């Protein structure tokens, strides 16, 4: 067994195809005579030209097949290619140091890589892989070697590589490549992002695996677990084959529900939306037929980078999602930084209890220029779609009113500048602090919708840190205290005739989703892969039957009783 780290979920079964990059073996520096300078420079120029043409082609094709965000990876490669400090510098050193084109390029690439690798930010360190990729592309042209081709297989394979470049992965044979395993690679690597978009299971950090497997060895793994098994015995193989069959059968059944309404047998229609973190996730939303976005966690646009995204950069991201989701609504949550989410470039004073500290709306109200920039970007984007905007971690009416006043201030500023802003946009609150749930009757009078963030509501209601592994049994969505709060919030929303959704994990949990449906919830926002299974479930149930569960469940006394009873009821839910 080869331990690694989970990078993209799914069950992989296939024969090993090993990839070991020659660039990892150091090349000797080659000197040339003064008379060869022009010849070597011409070789470099032609390699650069060919790489430029290739990249333009890749940008066009990835834009179509994977989307704008993935193609941006190669736009960045093009920028490296155009950077005078890179190729032009290498060109000069052919003349000044009498280096061959290959050596000049290698020296410059290594310098760039080590500069990026020494940077503080994880994001910038990960960019070293992009330089390596473009350096390898140029070296291939200089040496006449073809790029490693992973685009054409005739049987199921698992690629086992020292590392993979975005160029290699964007060109994968998606019909036969069943999994990816690399020795290197991190959380922010572009390759893992592409793998997730393509829904190819992936493990990273599987130490020394390339030298320990042979081409053709059978490999199985579960991308969510992050352990690879080489040459599995019959029992293990049967287990993986049956897991994969189940997953594939479900996929197939679920696909039939694409385009169908999210409606119960007796006509109660609800919205099944997706939770996303970046515009890149639009592809996945579409694949799972999401009816809009119920939670756009915008803080991801601010993370893994060296500085704050500009207003324009944010505007482009919000606009892309709003346009891409039409005619559905997109609920953009203003940034929820703090707690476990830090920004290296925003100095937050060290706190003893970050989850109870300057987080979400509190941080925004303490850093108004940053907050207003985000609100400007969101309002500018509102012109391009159907927007809902909501504030995280609200615990009092004053916070909501202050945030709304700032939003209005920004709206008036934009209108004065003649910037178009949508006439109709909805303003809501995330209900994730028990105090907010308890005053939801008051909050409901001041907003257009609620979205219940049960991930946090559970931790604050039960005083259980959601990150603490040893407290997992206490972090229960079935806790009667949590469910009573959720019910109270739904009731408050109904009374004021505003819509109410849940965007915490429980929205995609079958038996809890049914209970929420019975409680009258209007919108369920979840990880996109859960949407079709939940639609299937809802379509097989009757709302009036589910309503009859609510009283009984709310009268039970413990989480375990509730979980047990809901599991029983789930079996009777289908009419
Ligand atoms: C929640 O708290 O339920 C939620 C959806 O927000 P996050 O998980 O981003 O804190
Ligand atoms: Mg939350």
């Amino acid at each position: 067994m080869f331990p690694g780290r989970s990078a993209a979920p799914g069950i992989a079964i296939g024969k090993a195809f090993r990839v070991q990059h020659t660039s990892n073996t150091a090349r000797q520096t080659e000197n040339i005579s003064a008379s060869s300078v022009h010849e070597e420079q011409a070789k470099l120029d032609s390699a650069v030209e060919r790489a430029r043409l290739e990249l333009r082609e890749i940008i066009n094709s990835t834009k179509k097949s994977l989307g704008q965000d993935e193609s941006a990876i190669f736009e960045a490669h093009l920028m490296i290619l155009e950077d005078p400090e890179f190729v032009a510098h290498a060109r000069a050193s052919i003349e000044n140091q009498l280096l061959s084109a290959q050596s000049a390029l290698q020296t410059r690439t290594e310098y760039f890589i080590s500069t990026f690798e020494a940077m503080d930010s994880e994001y910038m360190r990960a960019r070293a892989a992009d330089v390596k990729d473009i350096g390898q592309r140029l070296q291939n042209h200089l040496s006449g070697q073809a790029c490693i081709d992973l685009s054409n297989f005739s049987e199921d394979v698992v690629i086992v590589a020292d590392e993979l470049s975005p160029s290699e992965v964007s060109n994968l044979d998606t019909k036969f490549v069943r999994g990816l395993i690399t020795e290197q690679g991190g959380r922010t690597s572009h390759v893992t992002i592409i793998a997730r978009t393509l829904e190819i299971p992936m493990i990273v950090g599987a130490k020394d695996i390339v030298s320990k497997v042979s081409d053709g060895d059978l490999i199985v793994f579960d991308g969510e677990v992050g352990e690879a098994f080489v040459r599995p015995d019959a029992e293990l193989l049967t287990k993986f084959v049956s897991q994969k069959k189940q997953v594939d059968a479900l996929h197939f059944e679920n696909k039939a529900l694409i385009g169908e309404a999210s409606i119960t047998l007796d006509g109660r229609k609800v919205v099944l939306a997706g939770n996303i973190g970046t515009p890149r996730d639009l592809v996945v939303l579409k694949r799972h037929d999401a009816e809009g976005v119920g939670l756009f966690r915008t803080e991801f646009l601010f993370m893994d980078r060296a500085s704050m995204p500009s207003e324009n950069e944010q505007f482009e991201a919000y606009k892309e999602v709003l346009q891409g989701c039409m005619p559905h609504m997109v609920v953009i949550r203003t940034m929820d930084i703090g707690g476990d989410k830090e920004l290296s470039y925003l100095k937050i004073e060290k706190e003893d209890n970050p989850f109870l500290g300057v987080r979400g709306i509190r941080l925004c109200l303490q850093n108004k220029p940053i907050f207003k920039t985000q609100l400007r970007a969101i309002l500018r984007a509102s012109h391009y779609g159907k927007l809902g905007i909501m504030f995280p971690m609200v615990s009092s009416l004053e916070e909501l009113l202050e945030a709304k006043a700032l939003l209005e201030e920004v709206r008036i500023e934009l209108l004065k500048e003649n910037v178009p802003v949508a006439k109709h946009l909805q303003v809501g609150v995330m209900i994730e602090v028990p105090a907010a749930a308890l005053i939801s009757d008051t909050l409901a009078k001041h907003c257009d919708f609620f979205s219940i963030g049960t991930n946090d509501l559970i931790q604050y209601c039960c005083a259980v840190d959601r990150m603490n592994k040893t407290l997992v049994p206490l972090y229960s969505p079935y806790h009667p205290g949590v469910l009573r709060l959720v019910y109270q919030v739904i009731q408050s929303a109904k009374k004021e005739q505003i819509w109410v959704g849940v965007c915490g994990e429980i929205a995609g949990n079958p038996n809890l989703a049914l209970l929420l449906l019975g409680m009258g919830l209007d919108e369920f926002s979840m990880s996109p892969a859960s949407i079709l299974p939940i639609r299937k479930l809802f379509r097989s149930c009757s709302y009036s039957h589910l309503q009859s569960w609510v009283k009984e469940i709310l009268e039970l006394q413990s989480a375990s009783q509730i979980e047990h009873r809901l599991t029983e009821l789930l079996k009777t839910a289908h009419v």
Side-chain angles (χ1 to χ4, degrees):
M1 190 267 284
F2 289 87
R5 290 189 305 280
S6 157
I11 305 286
I13 303 175
K15 288 188 179 165
F17 180 88
R18 293 179 320 139
V19 175
Q20 178 91 58
H21 292 85
T22 47
S23 63
N24 295 338
T25 34
R27 200 179 273 122
Q28 292 273 323
T29 306
E30 252 178 334
N31 284 106
I32 54 164
S33 63
S35 59
S36 312
V37 165
H38 289 305
E39 193 187 327
E40 289 297 304
Q41 285 182 328
K43 272 196 213 161
L44 182 61
D45 293 344
S46 127
V48 169
E49 196 40 43
R50 287 170 69 182
R52 190 176 286 131
L53 290 175
E54 262 172 18
L55 282 170
R56 292 216 174 104
E57 219 165 89
I58 296 180
I59 290 168
N60 283 337
S61 65
T62 35
K63 213 174 261 172
K64 281 187 209 126
S65 60
L66 290 169
Q68 190 86 26
D69 267 43
E70 272 67 14
S71 72
I73 296 170
F74 299 101
E75 310 237 10
H77 287 195
L78 205 52
M79 271 165 65
I80 298 171
L81 200 61
E82 311 290 353
D83 185 339
E85 288 298 309
F86 188 54
V87 175
H89 194 286
R91 200 172 189 281
S93 60
I94 294 178
E95 187 170 355
N96 302 338
Q97 296 171 40
L98 294 180
L99 292 177
S100 69
Q102 279 184 285
S103 291
L105 181 68
Q106 183 179 343
T107 313
R108 204 57 196 154
T109 310
E110 280 167 3
Y111 169 77
F112 257 63
I113 292 172
S114 56
T115 309
F116 275 119
E117 280 176 347
M119 289 188 178
D120 280 346
S121 130
E122 188 187 345
Y123 176 81
M124 293 311 280
R125 282 200 302 277
R127 300 293 70 78
D130 294 324
V131 177
K132 222 180 257 184
D133 194 358
I134 185 75
Q136 182 68 47
R137 183 180 293 282
L138 290 169
Q139 289 290 1
N140 288 342
H141 285 306
L142 283 173
S143 63
Q145 246 181 46
C147 274
I148 293 173
D149 183 12
L150 303 176
S151 68
N152 201 2
F153 292 97
S154 52
E155 58 179 347
D156 289 350
V157 292
V158 169
I159 310 283
V160 181
D162 49 353
E163 59 187 325
L164 288 168
S165 68
S167 312
E168 287 159 349
V169 177
S170 68
N171 206 17
L172 276 185
D173 178 346
T174 47
K175 187 159 170 231
F176 287 114
V177 175
R178 297 295 177 203
L180 303 169
I181 304 178
T182 60
E183 294 180 345
Q184 321 235 329
R187 208 164 52 85
T188 51
S189 116
H190 283 140
V191 172
T192 60
I193 292 168
I194 297 177
R196 268 182 245 133
T197 308
L198 293 172
E199 296 188 351
I200 299 179
M202 180 171 189
I203 295 179
V204 296
K207 224 165 149 254
D208 298 331
I209 189 165
V210 182
S211 59
K212 298 204 172 124
V213 300
S214 306
D215 283 325
D217 276 351
L218 191 64
I219 298 196
V220 296
F221 70 85
D222 178 344
E224 217 139 9
V225 177
E227 294 167 349
F229 298 89
V230 181
R231 295 183 295 276
D233 61 24
E235 193 184 335
L236 190 62
L237 180 60
T238 313
K239 184 180 139 211
F240 271 88
V241 169
S242 89
Q243 265 182 20
K244 182 151 174 40
K245 265 195 193 140
Q246 276 176 16
V247 172
D248 289 349
L250 271 178
H251 262 289
F252 187 73
E253 271 180 44
N254 290 336
K255 289 272 175 271
L257 289 161
I258 289 182
E260 297 293 330
S262 305
I263 191 167
T264 61
L265 291 170
D266 51 351
R268 165 92 180 138
K269 202 160 181 282
V270 292
V271 173
L272 298 187
N275 293 348
I276 64 165
T278 81
R280 185 184 311 118
D281 300 333
L282 276 174
V283 183
V284 186
L285 277 182
K286 292 256 150 70
R287 200 177 297 145
H288 297 281
D289 200 25
E291 297 159 310
V293 170
L295 169 63
F296 181 174
R297 290 183 163 101
T298 57
E299 56 278 7
F300 287 105
L301 302 176
F302 293 73
M303 291 159 75
D304 288 334
R305 49 183 296 147
S307 60
M308 193 71 75
S310 67
E311 179 186 316
N312 250 342
E313 219 176 307
Q314 292 186 55
F315 161 69
E316 290 297 340
Y318 306 144
K319 177 180 157 193
E320 188 180 343
V321 174
L322 279 156
Q323 272 181 332
C325 283
M326 278 298 275
H328 301 298
M329 177 181 256
V330 173
V331 178
I332 299 186
R333 168 173 85 182
T334 56
M335 63 181 204
D336 184 14
I337 296 296
D340 60 328
K341 299 175 195 140
E342 291 174 16
L343 299 182
S344 58
Y345 52 87
L346 182 71
K347 292 289 162 249
I348 305 174
E349 229 167 271
K350 188 153 174 25
E351 299 174 309
D352 287 339
N353 294 300
F355 274 114
L356 301 181
V358 185
R359 192 193 152 183
I361 195 68
R362 302 170 183 177
L363 185 130
C364 287
L365 293 176
Q366 286 188 15
N367 294 275
K368 293 209 176 88
I370 296 175
F371 190 35
K372 281 178 75 176
T373 304
Q374 182 175 37
L375 294 178
R376 275 181 69 92
I378 296 175
L379 285 184
R380 281 173 57 197
S382 69
H383 179 62
Y384 299 88
K386 216 163 146 189
L387 172 72
I389 178 169
M390 66 178 176
F391 307 114
M393 283 293 291
V394 168
S395 59
S396 69
L397 175 63
E398 289 84 347
E399 281 169 336
L400 170 61
L401 296 182
E402 195 179 347
K404 279 184 71 176
L406 278 172
L407 184 67
E408 183 56 14
E409 195 180 308
V410 168
R411 195 179 72 88
I412 291 170
E413 255 173 46
L414 286 170
L415 291 178
K416 275 196 191 137
E417 292 167 32
N418 286 326
V419 178
V421 174
K423 284 210 175 60
H424 304 287
L425 60 89
Q426 301 194 13
V427 182
V429 174
M430 275 196 83
I431 304 285
E432 46 187 352
V433 177
L438 293 166
I439 59 162
S440 54
D441 52 346
T442 307
L443 297 175
K445 294 187 178 26
H446 299 271
C447 49
D448 303 307
F449 68 93
F450 284 152
S451 183
I452 311 175
T454 45
N455 302 343
D456 276 314
L457 190 61
I458 299 166
Q459 85 162 343
Y460 294 127
C461 174
C462 303
V464 178
D465 180 348
R466 67 194 254 192
M467 315 283 286
N468 189 327
K469 288 202 183 82
T470 61
L471 295 178
V472 169
L474 293 184
Y475 180 89
S476 172
Y478 299 97
H479 194 295
V482 174
L483 294 177
R484 284 179 203 178
L485 285 179
V486 169
Y487 184 62
Q488 182 170 342
V489 176
I490 296 175
Q491 292 295 102
S492 301
K494 298 278 158 207
K495 194 153 164 251
E496 291 301 325
Q497 297 183 345
I498 62 172
W499 66 264
V500 52
V502 163
C503 59
E505 289 302 305
I506 69 168
N509 167 325
N511 54 19
L512 284 166
L514 287 182
L515 177 69
L516 295 170
L517 182 59
M519 286 182 176
L521 198 79
D522 303 295
E523 184 238 31
F524 299 70
S525 192
M526 59 197 81
S527 119
S530 303
I531 290 175
L532 293 174
I534 293 289
R535 180 176 294 164
K536 183 169 176 219
L537 183 62
F538 284 5
R539 286 174 64 88
S540 70
C541 294
S542 126
Y543 178 47
S544 55
H545 176 61
L546 298 174
Q547 281 177 304
S548 70
W549 292 11
V550 178
K551 188 165 177 294
E552 180 194 340
I553 293 294
L554 288 179
E555 280 170 2
L556 293 176
Q557 288 160 14
S558 70
S560 57
Q561 279 176 12
I562 294 180
E563 181 171 8
H564 180 76
R565 184 66 186 134
L566 278 176
T567 311
E568 266 178 8
L569 284 171
L570 180 63
K571 292 181 203 143
T572 70
H574 312 275
V575 177

